[in-house]
Amino acid sequence: MQNENIIKDPNELLEKLDNLHPSDIAYSLKKIENESEDDFFYVLKTMPDEILGEVLLELPDNLREAAYEELSIEKLTDAVDELESDDATDIIQEIEEIDREKAKEIYEGLEEQDKKEIDWLRRYEEDEAGAYMQTELFSAKLKETIGQSIKRLKEAKAEDALENIHQVFVVNDDKSLIASILLEDLIIFDFDKTYEEILNEADEYKYKPFKVSDKTHIDEVAKHVEQYDLSVVAVVGYQDILMGRITSDDILDVIEQNATEQIYQLAGVDEEFEHEDNLINTAKKRAIWLFLNLGTAILASLVIGLFDQTIQAYVALAILMPIVASMGGNAGTQTLAVMVRQLALGDIELENAKDAVKKEVFISLFNGFLFALIMGVIAWIWFDEKLLGLVIGLSMIVNLFSAGFFGASIPLILKKFKIDPAVGSTVLLTTVTDIVGFFSFLMLAKIILL
Amino acid sequence: MQNENIIKDPNELLEKLDNLHPSDIAYSLKKIENESEDDFFYVLKTMPDEILGEVLLELPDNLREAAYEELSIEKLTDAVDELESDDATDIIQEIEEIDREKAKEIYEGLEEQDKKEIDWLRRYEEDEAGAYMQTELFSAKLKETIGQSIKRLKEAKAEDALENIHQVFVVNDDKSLIASILLEDLIIFDFDKTYEEILNEADEYKYKPFKVSDKTHIDEVAKHVEQYDLSVVAVVGYQDILMGRITSDDILDVIEQNATEQIYQLAGVDEEFEHEDNLINTAKKRAIWLFLNLGTAILASLVIGLFDQTIQAYVALAILMPIVASMGGNAGTQTLAVMVRQLALGDIELENAKDAVKKEVFISLFNGFLFALIMGVIAWIWFDEKLLGLVIGLSMIVNLFSAGFFGASIPLILKKFKIDPAVGSTVLLTTVTDIVGFFSFLMLAKIILL
């Protein structure tokens, strides 16, 4: 679908700008930059301000940063001026990280109203609903007629000051949000009626607004949007005062981002440092995780060291012992992935967690016995020693059971202590499955074989 | 946010049904079912048909199936009748899986128009856009005035036949989709104008519809929606004939579901079999993956077996060898997670994959040298043997390098052969890091130490 809209010639791209979505322009620019950085900057500098801002937002991080450095303060100020409040704030903050002075000058060049909104939005923590909301929205007062409000909408749209409007937010004299009426309902009403009349005639719950507080964590907002299948949610402050709105496209990004973070965390990767220009920083961040893992591996080695004489007497043990640890690790990873994801999705909660643990223990015991049998027979035939089969079989049961039990419990315990279950549970679990795996196998061998 | 809307008393819940979102009713029912299955069925059987269908859709899988079995054919038919086409089709198909005869009788009891739509939607494969679309939408003809079309909208809404309307889809006499006008634009037009007039006056690209073909893979549709920040996308068939639409809440579910599948696949879990009532089926599915892993582990053991005399001569090797394999496995998992996720998000494509491989190789070499140093010194001191430090250091470099190189290449190769990179790449990579880890360590030991 993308390909038809990609234009690799700079001048052709500039000609067709009006017919292209900013996302397509950004994608074309990415291709152009691959060929020539000069052409890339040429197109950026030549395109109209009202397109530039939107395109910047769609560029990959590294190209956007390059653009911040290359474009003039005037050009950037004009581009930011055209953006909605949340996007304008994001860009100013990003430029600040690269060049504090430049960001300040751009901010100074904005209109007073824009400055105020940016000041306001900047106060929020980056994971609060307020940091994701845009302040541009369509609202109306109780005493206003629908026709009057639509006239205002028309004017705002003529100035390109409003888009993506799904509903009108009705506020009282204190600016508190009291109703939300979808445009599909609004369009069929008598335009001469006031909002107050409409609301009085309607069922009490019909226009009840979906709202979140500006301090709500964005993940909570995402759950709210998913649960009620919303395309827009209102953001309110103290005493339900209407502050802004968050649209479903922002929520989509949040969900995608959260999933990425979860996958990375389970694998011991810190998402934030993966896009660094300096790869050494990325490598160092990954090294921290590997360092923790090294600790686990050394612990496991110490356990093996306890049995050095057993191994010397019976070298088959050294050959077989990684199998038990590896099977435990894998079975544990299965359990962990299911638990972490279900906890994140809210399918498992702490109160009904017992069932989940029971399920995982059942599965791990089932597979423990299954692979005890399989591996027991293999070891018996391989080394022609029945008792060796018994040892590895018993140790498989013990280790797969503990993989299931701890794979299910560790995320729950972390969650109980308000630690993100995706962070750190892998390394804790590996410690358990490695140590239990090596210890049970070698200890049983010492008792049974020698 | 959820708690205020949860009602655990069956009769209180029935009284307040009209004021609750179906999602909240379903959540309350889940709590009620925990206490008493009878109360759960009592509420379901007593609630009005137009609510029942929506609530069924929001119930967890196992409760929904219980409801399909318990509710009468008449009740289910009436509930399905109230649903939108895509949801009605889903429910009929789900009942079919439990009780083919019951599903058939429900289908027979529906209105002719509903039957036709269900017949149509059932033809699609489960991952095609057509299977996700709803056929209910607001469309208008070129010659129609806006006022006339809004009158139709009003009638449809009065019958509860249309909701979630964001735009009007304008079609020509052949029913081909030619424009999409958002309600926020429509509401400010002169209602006496025809759509043809509106379109002639406007810029060619202003009302260009975002559309996908009914045969498009749903993941492509999700990318399209994300890329263009859409709340609705039109679904068209042969010659752009308008077939239906997909809303952003469905796309949200697709994205969430895909992320879950990806996390599970990387951990060797088949999402589809995780919600089985019979845990033995879940256990068996997980066992398939563990079986593959057992093959890998045995391969690694065979490698160790090649060096049994070396180990017997020098038992410290048995103690240290899991460290090298474990570090390789973990570094490889980091690389794999990043590659698989970036490929899924489209941030890495096959054409620019070389940069990604270079990045991963750089990082793995950096960490290879770092941990060679750390572990080399530890091994030297631990066993008071300089050469043992050298052996484990060299082997750490070799194994972390191959972890980075293969961790980056395996997903790309799978993708090239059109195999999902998340499926199977973990087990392939573990095979590499285990074999390279054990072989390099023991081989170097044999050469250097003995």
Side-chain angles (χ1 to χ4, degrees), chain A residues 23-24 165 184 227-228 360, chain B residues 23-24 165 184 227-228:
Chain A
S23 157
D24 291 327
I165 301 300
E184 63 184 282
Q227 189 182 356
Y228 298 115
E360 293 302 329
Chain B
S23 158
D24 290 327
I165 300 301
E184 65 184 277
Q227 188 181 355
Y228 298 114

Side-chain angles (χ1 to χ4, degrees), chain B residues 196-387:
Chain B
E196 194 160 37
E197 287 171 294
I198 298 286
L199 292 179
N200 284 340
E201 285 163 20
D203 191 24
E204 182 186 358
Y205 289 87
K206 173 134 201 214
Y207 301 117
K208 194 179 154 190
F210 287 97
K211 64 191 179 199
V212 295
S213 142
D214 55 348
K215 296 286 185 184
T216 310
H217 194 289
I218 190 66
D219 292 350
E220 284 295 308
V221 180
K223 280 204 178 129
H224 193 77
V225 168
E226 274 191 284
Q227 188 181 355
Y228 298 114
D229 293 340
L230 307 178
S231 35
V232 176
V233 63
V235 182
V236 296
Y238 176 66
Q239 287 190 332
D240 274 359
I241 290 177
L242 180 62
M243 318 282 290
R245 61 183 178 131
I246 299 176
T247 48
S248 64
D249 56 303
D250 291 326
I251 297 300
L252 258 170
D253 293 342
V254 169
I255 287 176
E256 196 85 283
Q257 175 75 10
N258 281 350
T260 303
E261 277 174 20
Q262 228 165 61
I263 291 173
Y264 282 15
Q265 283 163 352
L266 281 172
V269 176
D270 191 333
E271 202 270 335
E272 223 179 300
F273 291 84
E274 281 299 310
H275 305 286
E276 298 269 321
D277 271 342
N278 187 347
L279 282 184
I280 291 186
N281 291 333
T282 313
K284 276 188 196 158
K285 269 284 157 181
R286 292 208 200 161
I288 292 176
W289 180 261
L290 292 176
F291 197 76
L292 284 174
N293 178 67
L294 182 64
T296 288
I298 290 176
L299 269 180
S301 290
L302 288 172
V303 169
I304 300 171
L306 298 175
F307 300 92
D308 52 352
Q309 284 160 9
T310 317
I311 293 171
Q312 205 144 25
Y314 213 103
V315 78
L317 298 178
I319 295 172
L320 291 176
M321 69 183 183
I323 294 179
V324 181
S326 160
M327 291 297 283
N330 275 273
T333 303
Q334 291 180 327
T335 299
L336 201 65
V338 172
M339 290 297 294
V340 165
R341 187 62 183 161
Q342 304 267 43
L343 278 169
L345 294 176
D347 291 345
I348 295 177
E349 289 161 37
L350 286 179
E351 46 184 286
N352 64 13
K354 225 185 243 173
D355 289 343
V357 176
K358 272 190 216 152
K359 172 190 163 189
E360 293 302 329
V361 167
F362 174 86
I363 291 176
S364 65
L365 276 176
F366 179 92
N367 282 333
F369 281 100
L370 178 66
F371 286 99
L373 193 70
I374 296 173
M375 196 54 221
V377 171
I378 292 176
W380 170 17
I381 297 171
W382 187 352
F383 294 95
D384 195 17
E385 166 69 69
K386 223 183 282 182
L387 285 178

Side-chain angles (χ1 to χ4, degrees), chain A residues 232-250:
Chain A
V232 175
V233 63
V235 182
V236 296
Y238 176 67
Q239 287 191 329
D240 273 359
I241 289 178
L242 180 63
M243 316 281 290
R245 62 184 177 131
I246 299 176
T247 48
S248 64
D249 54 304
D250 291 325

Side-chain angles (χ1 to χ4, degrees), chain A residues 1-2 5 19 21 23-24 27 31 150 153-154 157 163-166 183-188 191 205 210 212 220 224 226-229 231 248-249 252 255-256 259-260 262-264 266-269 274 279-280 282-283 286-287 289-291 293-294 297-298 301-302 304-305 308 311-312 315 318-319 321-323 326-327 330-331 333-335 337-338 341-342 345 349 351 359-360 362-363 366-367 370-371 374-375 378 382 438, chain B residues 1-2 5 19 21 23-24 27 31 150 153-154 157 163-166 183-188 191 205 210 212 220 224 226-229 231 248-249 252 255-256 259-260 262-264 266-269 274 279-280 282-283 286-287 289-291 293-294 297-298 301-302 304-305 308 311-312 315 318-319 321-323 326-327 330-331 333-335 337-338 341-342 345 349 351 359-360 362-363 366-367 370-371 374-375 378 382 438:
Chain A
M1 253 170 304
Q2 264 175 347
N5 294 326
N19 313 337
H21 189 279
S23 157
D24 291 327
Y27 199 81
K31 298 281 162 193
I150 288 175
L153 175 65
K154 195 170 181 170
K157 283 193 66 83
E163 54 177 15
N164 246 318
I165 301 300
H166 297 264
L183 291 190
E184 63 184 282
D185 291 314
L186 196 63
I187 202 169
I188 59 181
F191 284 12
Y205 288 89
F210 288 96
V212 294
E220 282 296 307
H224 193 77
E226 274 191 285
Q227 189 182 356
Y228 298 115
D229 294 340
S231 36
S248 64
D249 54 304
L252 257 169
I255 287 176
E256 196 85 284
T260 303
Q262 226 165 62
I263 290 173
Y264 281 15
L266 281 171
V269 176
E274 280 300 309
L279 282 184
I280 291 185
T282 313
R286 291 208 201 161
W289 181 261
L290 292 177
F291 197 75
N293 179 67
L294 183 64
I298 290 176
S301 291
L302 289 172
I304 300 172
D308 53 351
I311 292 171
Q312 204 144 27
V315 79
I319 296 173
M321 69 184 183
I323 294 179
S326 160
M327 290 297 283
N330 275 272
T333 302
Q334 291 181 328
T335 298
V338 172
R341 187 62 183 162
Q342 306 265 43
L345 294 176
E349 289 160 39
E351 46 183 285
K359 172 189 162 187
E360 293 302 329
F362 174 86
I363 291 175
F366 179 93
N367 283 332
L370 178 66
F371 286 99
I374 295 173
M375 197 53 222
I378 292 176
W382 187 351
F438 290 128
Chain B
M1 252 171 307
Q2 262 174 349
N5 293 324
N19 312 338
H21 190 279
S23 158
D24 290 327
Y27 200 80
K31 297 282 161 193
I150 288 175
L153 174 65
K154 195 170 181 172
K157 284 192 66 83
E163 55 176 16
N164 246 315
I165 300 301
H166 298 264
L183 291 190
E184 65 184 277
D185 291 314
L186 197 63
I187 202 168
I188 60 181
F191 285 11
Y205 289 87
F210 287 97
V212 295
E220 284 295 308
H224 193 77
E226 274 191 284
Q227 188 181 355
Y228 298 114
D229 293 340
S231 35
S248 64
D249 56 303
L252 258 170
I255 287 176
E256 196 85 283
T260 303
Q262 228 165 61
I263 291 173
Y264 282 15
L266 281 172
V269 176
E274 281 299 310
L279 282 184
I280 291 186
T282 313
R286 292 208 200 161
W289 180 261
L290 292 176
F291 197 76
N293 178 67
L294 182 64
I298 290 176
S301 290
L302 288 172
I304 300 171
D308 52 352
I311 293 171
Q312 205 144 25
V315 78
I319 295 172
M321 69 183 183
I323 294 179
S326 160
M327 291 297 283
N330 275 273
T333 303
Q334 291 180 327
T335 299
V338 172
R341 187 62 183 161
Q342 304 267 43
L345 294 176
E349 289 161 37
E351 46 184 286
K359 172 190 163 189
E360 293 302 329
F362 174 86
I363 291 176
F366 179 92
N367 282 333
L370 178 66
F371 286 99
I374 296 173
M375 196 54 221
I378 292 176
W382 187 352
F438 290 128

